[in-house]
Amino acid sequence: KELILYDLKTQEKIKSLPLDEQIFQVQFSPNGSKLAASGYVTKYWDRGSQHVTVWDVASWKINYEYESDVQLYSSPSGLAWASDNKRIAFSMLERGLTVIDVSTGDAVATLEDFIVSPLDLSWSPDGLRLISTGDLGYGLRRWRVDTGQWVHLFDARSLPAQQVEWSPDGRQIASGHYGGTVCVWNVGNNQCEGFIDAHFNSLDALDWSPDSAKIATASGAIRVWDSEIGELVTSFGFYDGIIYKELQWFASQTIATLETSYTQQRPSMIRFWDVSTGDVNF
C-alpha cells in the first residue's frame, strides 16, 4: 500500500509514501504546502481504527498525526482544509467533527452527537463555518466554528446526503443525495431553493465551477448544471460499467475524475476532461 503523487505536466511519479492502511481521503492544503490523508488501519479481521496524517510537502516530515482509540468496522472519510492553511477538519468514528490546528496539534473545536459519522464536509470560503452530512434525519449541519453555534438543514424531498460542497463565492451550498438528487441551498436562509434530479440511483461526487455558476455531478456519467436555474448544460463520460467516485473542478474548463468499474476487473483510473467538448485531455 502506498500513496503516490504525480506531476500533472509530465504525468510522471514524483513521490511515493509507503502506508499500512486503507486511504479514504487525500487533500492538499490550499497553498499546497501540506498534504493530509484520512485512512483506516486494520487491527483485527473485522475492525480497525481511524488514522489521519498531515505531511509537510517540502520535507515530507509528519506535521500532525491522529489515531482513534475506538475500534469500529469502517473509517469516516470527511476531511477538509480551511482557507488559512492552518486548520484541518475531519469526521471522527465517535460520530462527530473536530478541527485541528496542525501547527500545534491541538483541537480548536469539536462538535458531536451526529446520528452517523459525517461522510463529507466543506468549509465556507472565509474559513468561519463548516457544512457536513450526518445530522439528524440524515440532513446537514452548518456549524460556526468559533462560536460553536450550529443549525440543521433538511429538505423532505431528498434521501440522506452523500456529498456536500460550499460554493467558491460563499453564497450557496450544494448537497448530493442517495437517489441521485441535488439540493442547492441559499446560505442566507438555509433553504433548499434549487432541486435537481441529477442521476438515477445515487450521486457519488460533485463540485462547483471556480466561478460558482455551474455544478458538476457524477455517478455513471458526468453532468454539468447551471447552478442558478438547475438546467443541464452538458453531459459526458458514458462508459459501460464505470462509476465516477471522485470529481474535482480545476480550471474553468477542466474536471478531474476518479473512476472504478463494477462489471470488469480493471484498475481505477483518473481522467481529466475538457468541459466544453467532453473529451479527455489525458
Side-chain angles (χ1 to χ4, degrees), residues 210-229:
D211 62 2
S212 301
K214 300 179 182 67
I215 301 169
T217 64
S219 183
I222 302 156
R223 296 189 170 117
V224 178
W225 309 86
D226 185 301
S227 63
E228 290 295 328
I229 59 178

Side-chain angles (χ1 to χ4, degrees), residues 19-191:
L19 299 172
D20 187 26
E21 61 195 274
Q22 181 179 359
I23 295 295
F24 287 86
Q25 272 277 10
V26 179
Q27 294 284 342
F28 277 102
S29 59
N31 66 3
S33 66
K34 298 178 180 66
L35 177 67
S38 177
Y40 179 72
V41 180
T42 303
K43 298 293 186 179
Y44 307 99
W45 72 273
D46 64 341
R47 287 182 295 166
S49 61
Q50 179 186 5
H51 187 219
V52 177
T53 311
V54 177
W55 293 271
D56 180 277
V57 171
S59 64
W60 292 109
K61 292 182 179 179
I62 294 176
N63 283 170
Y64 171 78
E65 194 169 14
Y66 164 84
E67 186 167 349
S68 68
D69 295 327
V70 178
Q71 303 288 309
L72 289 178
Y73 301 101
S74 63
S75 173
S77 56
L79 179 76
W81 284 95
S83 56
D84 60 10
N85 300 288
K86 298 178 181 179
R87 293 169 299 153
I88 189 169
F90 56 87
S91 53
M92 301 182 295
L93 289 172
E94 297 88 341
R95 293 184 299 163
L97 289 176
T98 189
V99 178
I100 301 295
D101 182 328
V102 295
S103 63
T104 64
D106 295 333
V108 297
T110 302
L111 191 63
E112 298 178 338
D113 299 326
F114 287 79
I115 193 168
V116 294
S117 182
L119 293 173
D120 198 22
L121 57 103
S122 177
W123 285 92
S124 60
D126 60 12
L128 293 178
R129 295 170 175 83
L130 278 164
I131 186 76
S132 70
T133 68
D135 202 11
L136 296 173
Y138 296 99
L140 305 173
R141 189 180 298 194
R142 180 180 167 188
W143 173 29
R144 174 141 183 165
V145 175
D146 57 347
T147 65
Q149 295 178 314
W150 61 270
V151 294
H152 177 65
L153 277 64
F154 178 77
D155 190 284
R157 294 172 291 179
S158 294
L159 295 174
Q162 299 171 270
Q163 308 286 331
V164 64
E165 191 71 28
W166 214 297
S167 66
D169 64 11
R171 295 174 50 245
Q172 296 174 298
I173 295 166
S175 57
H177 301 258
Y178 291 100
T181 61
V182 175
C183 267
V184 183
W185 304 84
N186 183 329
V187 170
N189 59 21
N190 295 318
Q191 298 299 309

Side-chain angles (χ1 to χ4, degrees), residues 245-263:
K245 302 301 293 184
E246 299 286 346
L247 179 151
Q248 185 169 349
W249 205 313
F250 280 95
S252 60
Q253 294 298 323
T254 304
I255 287 175
T257 58
L258 172 65
E259 67 187 49
T260 60
S261 171
Y262 63 85
T263 61

